[in-house]
Amino acid sequence: MIIGYSFWGFLGPGIIDTPDGGRSHRRPLVDALASRGHRLIFLQSDRDRLEAGDDLGDRYTFEGGLPKIDVLFLEWRWSIPGRNTTPCDTPGHTCDLHRQRELLEHYTVLRRTPTVIWDKDRQLPANSPWRRRPGVIVCEAALAPTTGARSLLFPLDDALLDSADPQALAALPRPVPLAYVGNQYDRDEEFDTYLAPAAARFPHQVAGKWPDTGRWPYVTFSGRIPFPEVHKLYGGALATVLLLPQRYRVAGQMTQRIFEAVLAGCLPLAPADIRRVDRFVPPSLIARDGVDVIGKLAYLQAVAGGQEHTRLIADCLRHLELFRLSTQVRALETMLSELAGSIGGAK
């Protein structure tokens, strides 16, 4: 199939000042689809070239027009006041939302092109007419998606998962007991409950955009770090805490941070209020509150570098199987097959 792919982000490492979490999984998904015979045309701006100065060569095709496609695949964009809701010539404007509207009107509405909407941030309203429109499938990166939506988790490259060595990861020096990578967005409650008490007791590092930190004067915030530095930070940390916004927790939606951490040997402690949390981490890494996080960190310090540490990393790697790229590609191709009957209407 010719897949018109709309995403607002990067295929490479991108720039520091961006919340694009797709950098850890978007390119493997794209490459896997191409390897299976699909042709992909990217329908948003080439931000790798325009913003990051990265030339990815002629391997990927970006198109600012409205080319012929068989399927429209959207990473859903939503209104962000002052950024993508302003006129196009306004300073600081990003045109992702305007472009998405253009694509939906041309392909989905006028041409009746089969459309897959990947609501990766769970921002598409439950009563959105796109959920009921014929020829449209909505999917979420959740184990318990919104009624009527499909599950399409963030994909983890099979090769990275298969090559991870628990014993080698456990043997690495881990001078930082607790690390966190991620932005503040809608995470204050979870931060207060699970991470802040431990940060008051253990050396730590919190990386990401946290503009309002006055309530945690004892926490070390280092600001955003380049994407390649994420693996390095996790690689020197014993554990992290998987903090999720409420809209993710209730749907069992885990971000890419879990496999970024585990692949570096950083053990993920998961709050117990995440739906289906036992699918993501071993029982011994599920935390009830901040006191529990403190106790688990103390235990992990005691076993660090030994057989129990190796066993825990191996168990975490087994839990990552549900994110396996080949599994997610098959799930997406199943959706594309279901839409295939209407492809004749795409021009």
Side-chain angles (χ1 to χ4, degrees), residues 35-111:
S35 72
R36 295 172 71 88
H38 303 290
R39 179 187 171 201
L40 290 99
I41 302 175
F42 302 124
L43 300 173
Q44 294 274 2
S45 299
D46 182 357
R47 297 181 67 196
D48 289 278
R49 179 176 58 84
L50 296 174
E51 297 181 39
D54 292 334
D55 184 359
L56 302 179
D58 57 4
R59 183 176 180 181
Y60 304 108
T61 301
F62 288 82
E63 173 61 66
L66 297 167
K68 178 181 176 181
I69 61 175
D70 296 322
V71 175
L72 177 62
F73 181 49
L74 297 165
E75 292 186 16
W76 184 253
R77 301 300 300 165
W78 62 96
S79 298
I80 304 176
R83 187 186 303 174
N84 59 13
T85 59
T86 55
C88 294
D89 57 353
T90 303
H93 172 80
T94 62
C95 220
D96 53 306
L97 190 61
H98 292 170
R99 176 61 167 167
Q100 179 173 270
R101 288 172 179 165
E102 179 184 34
L103 297 173
L104 286 167
E105 289 173 5
H106 176 79
Y107 291 113
T108 312
V109 177
L110 296 178
R111 310 297 292 235

Side-chain angles (χ1 to χ4, degrees), residues 10-319:
F10 300 90
L11 293 171
I15 58 177
I16 295 178
D17 190 21
T18 176
D20 178 32
R23 288 171 293 186
S24 66
H25 57 262
R26 184 179 294 119
R27 193 168 184 176
L29 176 61
V30 164
D31 290 346
L33 288 169
S35 72
R36 295 172 71 88
H38 303 290
R39 179 187 171 201
L40 290 99
I41 302 175
F42 302 124
L43 300 173
Q44 294 274 2
S45 299
D46 182 357
R47 297 181 67 196
D48 289 278
R49 179 176 58 84
L50 296 174
E51 297 181 39
D54 292 334
D55 184 359
L56 302 179
D58 57 4
R59 183 176 180 181
Y60 304 108
T61 301
F62 288 82
E63 173 61 66
L66 297 167
K68 178 181 176 181
I69 61 175
D70 296 322
V71 175
L72 177 62
F73 181 49
L74 297 165
E75 292 186 16
W76 184 253
R77 301 300 300 165
W78 62 96
S79 298
I80 304 176
R83 187 186 303 174
N84 59 13
T85 59
T86 55
C88 294
D89 57 353
T90 303
H93 172 80
T94 62
C95 220
D96 53 306
L97 190 61
H98 292 170
R99 176 61 167 167
Q100 179 173 270
R101 288 172 179 165
E102 179 184 34
L103 297 173
L104 286 167
E105 289 173 5
H106 176 79
Y107 291 113
T108 312
V109 177
L110 296 178
R111 310 297 292 235
R112 298 184 180 178
T113 303
T115 300
V116 176
I117 294 175
W118 195 9
D119 187 18
K120 299 171 68 174
D121 291 271
R122 304 200 78 235
Q123 294 285 356
L124 184 68
N127 62 352
S128 169
W130 296 115
R131 295 185 183 274
R132 303 185 300 275
R133 188 178 184 88
V136 175
I137 292 177
V138 175
C139 48
E140 300 173 7
L143 296 179
T146 304
T147 300
R150 311 288 185 84
S151 180
L152 182 66
L153 304 184
F154 299 129
L156 168 57
D157 193 339
D158 291 37
L160 292 178
L161 182 55
D162 293 338
S163 63
D165 183 340
Q167 187 170 5
L169 291 170
L172 293 175
R174 299 192 178 274
V176 180
L178 177 63
Y180 179 79
V181 180
N183 299 321
Q184 188 166 8
Y185 312 131
D186 303 318
R187 288 173 169 85
D188 284 12
E189 177 186 354
E190 293 287 280
F191 192 90
D192 260 337
T193 301
Y194 294 97
L195 198 144
R201 297 279 296 273
F202 295 91
H204 61 274
Q205 184 173 347
V206 176
K209 184 179 180 181
W210 288 76
D212 184 11
T213 62
R215 61 202 283 188
W216 306 295
Y218 50 88
V219 176
T220 301
F221 294 94
S222 59
R224 278 179 166 159
I225 59 176
F227 180 67
E229 294 295 311
V230 172
H231 184 80
K232 181 178 179 181
L233 176 58
Y234 282 136
L238 180 61
T240 187
V241 181
L242 301 170
L243 303 181
L244 301 175
Q246 171 69 7
R247 67 183 187 277
Y248 289 4
R249 299 198 301 272
V250 298
Q253 174 161 325
M254 183 56 64
T255 72
Q256 75 285 350
R257 297 302 181 196
I258 187 170
F259 51 77
E260 290 175 352
V262 174
L263 290 176
C266 180
L267 292 169
L269 301 177
D273 62 353
I274 298 172
R275 189 171 183 178
R276 300 185 183 175
V277 65
D278 58 315
R279 296 286 307 280
F280 298 119
V281 300
S284 61
L285 298 182
I286 299 173
R288 299 183 304 275
D289 51 32
V291 173
D292 203 13
V293 170
I294 290 171
K296 292 181 185 301
L297 277 174
Y299 172 73
L300 293 177
Q301 283 186 312
V303 302
Q307 291 184 349
E308 176 62 10
H309 191 192
T310 299
R311 186 193 67 79
L312 281 169
I313 294 175
D315 204 355
C316 287
L317 288 167
R318 284 191 291 272
H319 277 75

